[in-house]
């Protein structure tokens, strides 16, 4: 189109705008849609399917992410042993409850002084950050069965006589199909005045039951973490499992 013709068209448009009291410029064309860059979104994790190794256990670095600054020592072993708080669920071993081969035990502690019979346990309970017990069942169906049995074992601890420590309500963390966890916060006895955990208080650590494909695990968090920190730790543990 010639420049003289364009000037004429714009002059007419301006004149019409003045007559009608408005001047409207042609609308801008919509910007082209931005295509997502390849590799920016990662696929959901796949459920575990294979032998359990130490790399499947929770890393000490996860506790630094929730604010714990103390140095954490990692103590691993394979075998059998107790896994739950004896004051409620009863002192039992994995073998007594579930049978099967030995499990992987990991103790996260802030001391070099651990039990001579079980190096994943600190001599002084105040030095215990967390303890995880995990194993491969060989099938997702059996892992689901173990997960449910272990969780049901802890549920009665949500009701205890006033003055006794108690677990709070069950929280669910779903990472992907076949990768899930349930955790219960721990409350001291002085907060238990009705036989159950108080609704308006934060937990102080707790216990989580984990399932990832054919793997299952129990994670006891002894350090005092609130609900947000517990959720983050549990998510990291079950995703790694």
């Amino acid at each position: 189109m010639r420049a003289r013709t364009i000037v004429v068209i714009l002059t007419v448009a301006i004149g019409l705008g003045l007559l009608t009291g408005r001047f409207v410029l042609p609308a801008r064309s919509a910007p082209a849609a931005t295509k997502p860059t390849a590799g920016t979104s990662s696929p959901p994790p796949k459920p575990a399917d294979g032998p359990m190794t130490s790399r499947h256990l929770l890393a000490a670095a996860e506790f630094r992410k929730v604010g714990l600054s103390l140095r954490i020592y990692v103590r691993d072993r394979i075998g059998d042993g107790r896994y739950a708080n004896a004051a409620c669920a009863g002192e039992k071993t994995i073998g007594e409850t579930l049978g099967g081969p030995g499990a992987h035990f990991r103790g996260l502690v802030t001391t070099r002084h651990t039990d001579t019979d079980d190096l994943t346990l600190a001599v002084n309970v105040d030095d215990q950050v967390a303890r995880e017990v995990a194993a491969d069942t060989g099938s997702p169906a059996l892992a689901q069965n173990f997960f449910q049995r272990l969780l049901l074992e802890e549920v009665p601890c949500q009701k205890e006589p006033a003055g006794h420590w108690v677990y709070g309500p069950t929280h669910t963390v779903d990472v992907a199909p076949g990768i899930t966890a349930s955790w219960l916060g721990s409350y001291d006895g002085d907060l238990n005045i009705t036989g159950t955990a108080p609704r308006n208080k934060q937990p102080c650590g707790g216990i989580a039951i984990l399932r990832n494909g054919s793997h299952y695990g129990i994670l006891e968090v002894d350090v005092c973490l609130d609900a947000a920190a517990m959720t983050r730790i549990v998510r990291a543990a079950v995703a790694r499992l």
Side-chain angles (χ1 to χ4, degrees):
M1 186 180 290
R2 296 180 180 178
R4 184 175 179 181
T5 305
I6 294 173
V7 171
V8 172
I9 292 173
L10 288 176
T11 302
V12 172
I14 294 172
L16 291 173
L18 293 174
L19 290 174
T20 60
R22 68 179 69 178
F23 176 61
V24 181
L25 290 172
R28 291 183 179 180
S29 59
T34 304
K35 294 183 180 179
T37 305
T40 56
S41 59
S42 57
K46 294 181 179 180
D49 181 18
M52 172 74 62
T53 68
S54 59
R55 68 180 178 85
H56 293 105
L57 302 177
L58 183 64
E62 295 298 336
F63 285 91
R64 288 194 288 273
K65 295 178 183 179
V66 296
L68 189 65
S69 59
L70 296 173
R71 179 173 181 177
I72 298 176
Y73 299 91
V74 178
R75 298 291 182 262
D76 290 345
R77 72 175 181 85
I78 299 175
D80 196 7
R82 69 177 183 85
Y83 63 92
N85 194 303
C88 174
E91 188 168 354
K92 292 175 289 185
T93 69
I94 283 290
E96 289 170 338
T97 300
L98 302 175
H104 286 252
F105 288 72
R106 167 162 291 181
L108 300 173
V109 297
T110 58
T111 178
R112 294 181 183 274
H113 302 292
T114 55
D115 194 314
T116 54
D117 294 326
D118 188 342
L119 54 79
T120 65
L121 292 169
V123 172
N124 186 338
V125 68
D126 292 335
D127 296 326
Q128 192 84 35
V129 174
R131 187 165 178 264
E132 185 178 11
V133 183
D136 175 42
T137 65
S139 77
L142 189 54
Q144 171 69 3
N145 177 274
F146 283 7
F147 172 84
Q148 292 173 337
R149 288 166 60 184
L150 290 166
L151 183 59
L152 287 173
E153 190 175 56
E154 302 301 333
V155 167
C157 304
Q158 293 173 321
K159 293 183 179 180
E160 291 290 335
H164 191 284
W165 73 267
V166 67
Y167 282 146
T170 304
H171 304 269
T172 300
V173 177
D174 288 322
V175 175
I179 305 176
T180 188
S182 292
W183 68 268
L184 297 76
S186 182
Y187 294 82
D188 290 337
D190 58 352
L191 296 176
N192 175 12
I193 59 176
T194 62
T196 59
R199 295 185 178 182
N200 59 342
K201 299 291 184 180
Q202 287 289 327
C204 184
I207 191 167
I209 310 300
L210 319 171
R211 180 175 69 90
N212 187 328
S214 62
H215 296 175
Y216 76 92
I218 308 108
L219 174 66
E220 293 180 87
V221 178
D222 296 280
V223 69
C224 198
L225 299 185
D226 62 15
M230 276 293 295
T231 298
R232 182 166 181 170
I233 287 293
V234 171
R235 180 178 292 275
V238 73
R240 190 179 182 93
L241 185 67

